[in-house]
Amino acid sequence: MARVTLKKVTKKFKEVVAVDNISIDIEDKEFAVLVGPSGCGKSTTLRAIAGLEEVTSGEIYIAERLVNDIPPKDRDIAMVFQNYALYPHMDVYNNMAFGLKLRKLPKEEIDQRVQEAAEILGIEKLLKRRPKELSGGQRQRVAVGRAIVRKPKVFLFDEPLSNLDAKLRVAMRAEISKLHDRLQATIIYVTHDQIEAMTMASRIFILNEGRLQQAGPPLEVYKAPANLFVAGFIGSPAMNFIPSRLLKKDSSYFIDAESFLVKLPSDFYPSISSYEGKEVIFGVRPEDFHDKQFYPEGTADNTIKAKIEVIEPLGDEVLFYLLCGEHSLIAKLDSRTNKRVGEEIEVVLELPKTHLFDPKSEKTIV
Amino acid sequence: MRTHWFTPWLYVIPALATLVFFLIYPSFNTLVISFFGPQSEKLVGFANYIYCFTNEIMLSAFRNNLLWVALFVPLTVFLGLILAVILDRVRYESLVKSIIFMPMAISFVGAGVIWKFVYSYRPTGSAQIGILNAFLTFLGRQPIPWLIERPWINNICLIIVGIWIWTGFCLVVLSASYKGIPRELLEAARVDGANEYRIFWKITLPLMKPTVAVVATTMFINVLKVFDIVYVMTNGAFSTEVIANRMYKEMFIFRNYGRASAIASLLLLFIIPMIIINVQRFREQEAFR
């Protein structure tokens, strides 16, 4: 069992609080992704788990063992660094064998483990090469291989794909996911890329300003963000936030954004009744807009009119930058939409999928 | 644009000419003079060289230079290396480094004078003005004639002065090289299971090897030419003679140009292999880039 548990972990650098009272419980064999913008404390959290940073307060457990005072080498972890951190004076074989040699494993076993890892990663032919003779993707594989051969309880990945080009990144993403299935180990993966987080994680932990914002399976976080930050961070392009007012008319609730008025679904009512007449932030994901031409459910209560400012065709879908009154919106619409820049378009909002946020606490209302 | 075959030479010639005139020619001339008598009027063949390898003081100078090489080079490099790694973790690193580097700013003659006071010796019973002997007598021990006690103590005392001066230089150069090692590499090694001692030997030192080699060869060349410290502190008395000081004496005290030139030629001969090693290292490093 290799659970990783953080209990009220705080890390301060002088006056700066990098990690602020974070409690996380990562299950055995879980693929946990810590995600957040730069400076959110995700890397510091990972380094604290690795033992490369001492925590200011709080407790870290790996496999039910308190590791606060245990040096990295005795924590039974392996780490893959952003810049790979391969030893430049050693060939690929020795880079991978280094940790095993330190543990004084018999030579045959080292050979066998390195071979095995090299086969998994497809780098058998590179074993005699030095890191500087490898491409970025190959270096990345060696760095992963160096972690695999150790057969640790927990793998730590610190933004391992951020130095690769886009195509390679997508390929490596799938490979690391496959690797996780194969190794059946606990993986803690840090990234600033929400797509990486969404595609790889069994559970996402979203951090901002050193605090844990939300934890949960990717789709759950996507569908039910806990607050404004999570709603804006997960999803691409980001959710549209429209400052507006909640109105009650004929026992129905409406969002009044001045330039448009839409009627909220009735299952929202229990949670929103206390906000009647108050300011709220109305959140709509770009993918929850639809062109009225191709969306039969459009009615007067869920359709808005907007002017097209920019069109970005993505192939299967098209991004429309819209202006509705004073609100700039991004909508991801059907590629059949034949409107041009400057024209007016009618878009339907898929209201059951929208969100309301409290503008003060930034918490999700519904 | 086509370049004529001699165009590169046009650029090289000024430097080359200066080098030939001020370095190659004098070296060659020194070599010629070394086969002549004291005033260069009579050809004496290898007599000056035979003198170098048979005269007792010359032999002792060779032996002392060997001792300098054996102690000074490893100790300056080793201390510089250890300090570079340790001071990296110290809060007031730059202050400490400046203090250790300070002796480099003092003229070697000045350093010699300072240490002459440190080692100063008065016969037993009289007041000791040297700090070492003052300390010894304070403890109720006999004072030690540091610079007279031959052949080990006095030579080692001189070598310590050399180390005191040059460690700072080694430290600064090696520290720069140490800071050039990406921190992630050391962290990766830590996670891989290495303790600090292993990291030093398996990661840090191999990565610093080119710099260590350059510093070591520089120190080697330095020590072969050692002169000021010995000249100021003992002037070669009590078996502390070194090659360069002997050369100076033959040249300017005894006015024996032949012998002085022979010693100078030998010194050059000893240094050449080091220069070659340094050049090779430099080329390897260039190829590495």
Side-chain angles (χ1 to χ4, degrees), chain A residues 136-313:
Chain A
Q138 290 169 333
R139 285 180 204 188
Q140 184 55 64
R141 279 161 205 274
V142 177
V144 173
R146 188 170 64 181
I148 293 178
V149 294
R150 295 253 318 278
K151 300 192 174 161
K153 288 207 181 90
V154 181
F155 286 91
L156 307 175
F157 287 83
D158 189 4
E159 307 221 11
L161 306 185
S162 56
N163 286 357
L164 301 179
D165 64 66
K167 207 170 170 183
L168 207 51
R169 204 179 308 158
V170 174
M172 279 306 279
R173 213 156 71 189
E175 272 194 54
I176 292 176
S177 293
K178 260 190 263 169
L179 207 59
H180 175 240
D181 293 340
R182 182 171 181 153
L183 296 173
Q184 291 292 307
T186 310
I187 292 185
I188 306 177
Y189 188 106
V190 159
T191 180
H192 62 268
D193 181 349
Q194 54 96 13
I195 296 178
E196 250 170 56
M198 292 292 289
T199 50
M200 300 168 87
S202 49
R203 212 145 51 103
I204 295 187
F205 297 81
I206 300 154
L207 276 71
N208 189 36
E209 291 176 346
R211 291 198 196 98
L212 182 65
Q213 304 291 323
Q214 191 174 1
L219 280 180
E220 192 179 292
V221 172
Y222 173 83
K223 283 182 186 154
N227 57 34
L228 207 57
F229 174 80
V230 174
F233 190 78
I234 298 293
S236 170
M239 187 185 279
N240 296 292
F241 294 123
I242 307 155
S244 42
R245 191 175 290 278
L246 191 67
L247 286 186
K248 193 176 183 187
K249 212 159 63 179
D250 310 333
S251 73
S252 290
Y253 285 96
F254 290 85
I255 283 293
D256 176 11
E258 289 187 0
S259 48
F260 65 83
L261 191 77
V262 290
K263 186 175 156 192
L264 292 172
S266 53
D267 50 335
F268 279 26
Y269 295 177
S271 359
I272 61 178
S273 51
S274 61
Y275 285 87
E276 186 188 330
K278 289 188 187 153
E279 308 247 319
V280 291
I281 292 173
F282 182 50
V284 190
R285 291 199 184 276
E287 46 272 39
D288 297 334
F289 285 105
H290 303 279
D291 186 345
K292 199 177 174 200
Q293 283 178 270
F294 310 109
Y295 198 74
E297 284 100 62
T299 65
D301 284 339
N302 63 5
T303 305
I304 67 172
K305 275 190 188 142
K307 206 179 127 207
I308 301 170
E309 295 210 297
V310 176
I311 298 178
E312 283 181 356

Side-chain angles (χ1 to χ4, degrees), chain B residues 107-155:
Chain B
S107 83
F108 295 170
V109 174
V113 172
I114 292 170
W115 280 86
K116 213 170 169 181
F117 280 118
V118 173
Y119 291 138
S120 172
Y121 167 76
R122 298 286 162 84
T124 319
S126 44
Q128 297 295 336
I129 62 157
I131 188 163
L132 284 179
N133 280 330
F135 188 65
L136 280 180
T137 47
F138 173 76
L139 292 178
R141 316 282 286 274
Q142 290 288 312
I144 297 170
W146 299 104
L147 295 176
I148 299 165
E149 195 72 33
R150 73 177 84 182
W152 299 108
I153 290 183
N154 54 2
N155 274 310

Side-chain angles (χ1 to χ4, degrees), chain A residues 47 73 79 81 83 85-89 98-99 102-104 146 150, chain B residues 184-185 187-195 198 202-203 206-207 288:
Chain A
R47 290 167 58 81
K73 68 186 180 72
M79 187 155 169
F81 292 82
N83 300 319
L86 300 179
Y87 311 123
H89 57 295
F98 184 66
L102 289 172
R103 282 177 175 71
K104 303 218 158 50
R146 188 170 64 181
R150 295 253 318 278
Chain B
E184 280 194 340
L185 280 185
E187 289 176 347
R190 237 163 255 159
V191 173
D192 257 349
N195 55 29
R198 285 282 178 84
K202 298 274 182 190
I203 310 289
L207 291 177
F288 192 70

Side-chain angles (χ1 to χ4, degrees), chain B residues 58-173:
Chain B
M58 274 309 296
L59 288 178
S60 118
F62 282 133
R63 190 203 64 205
N64 289 338
N65 264 79
L66 266 181
L67 187 67
W68 273 85
V69 169
L71 292 180
F72 176 88
V73 179
L75 280 173
T76 45
V77 176
F78 181 75
L79 284 174
L81 200 57
I82 294 294
L83 286 169
V85 175
I86 291 174
L87 288 180
D88 189 59
R89 290 134 205 243
V90 172
R91 206 148 171 226
Y92 300 101
E93 186 191 358
S94 49
L95 179 74
V96 179
K97 267 198 322 208
S98 311
I99 291 172
I100 297 175
F101 190 72
M102 204 89 87
M104 277 301 285
I106 303 172
S107 83
F108 295 170
V109 174
V113 172
I114 292 170
W115 280 86
K116 213 170 169 181
F117 280 118
V118 173
Y119 291 138
S120 172
Y121 167 76
R122 298 286 162 84
T124 319
S126 44
Q128 297 295 336
I129 62 157
I131 188 163
L132 284 179
N133 280 330
F135 188 65
L136 280 180
T137 47
F138 173 76
L139 292 178
R141 316 282 286 274
Q142 290 288 312
I144 297 170
W146 299 104
L147 295 176
I148 299 165
E149 195 72 33
R150 73 177 84 182
W152 299 108
I153 290 183
N154 54 2
N155 274 310
I156 289 171
C157 282
L158 294 179
I159 293 170
I160 287 172
V161 180
I163 292 170
W164 178 76
I165 293 173
W166 282 100
T167 296
F169 173 80
C170 296
L171 165 64
V172 170
V173 177

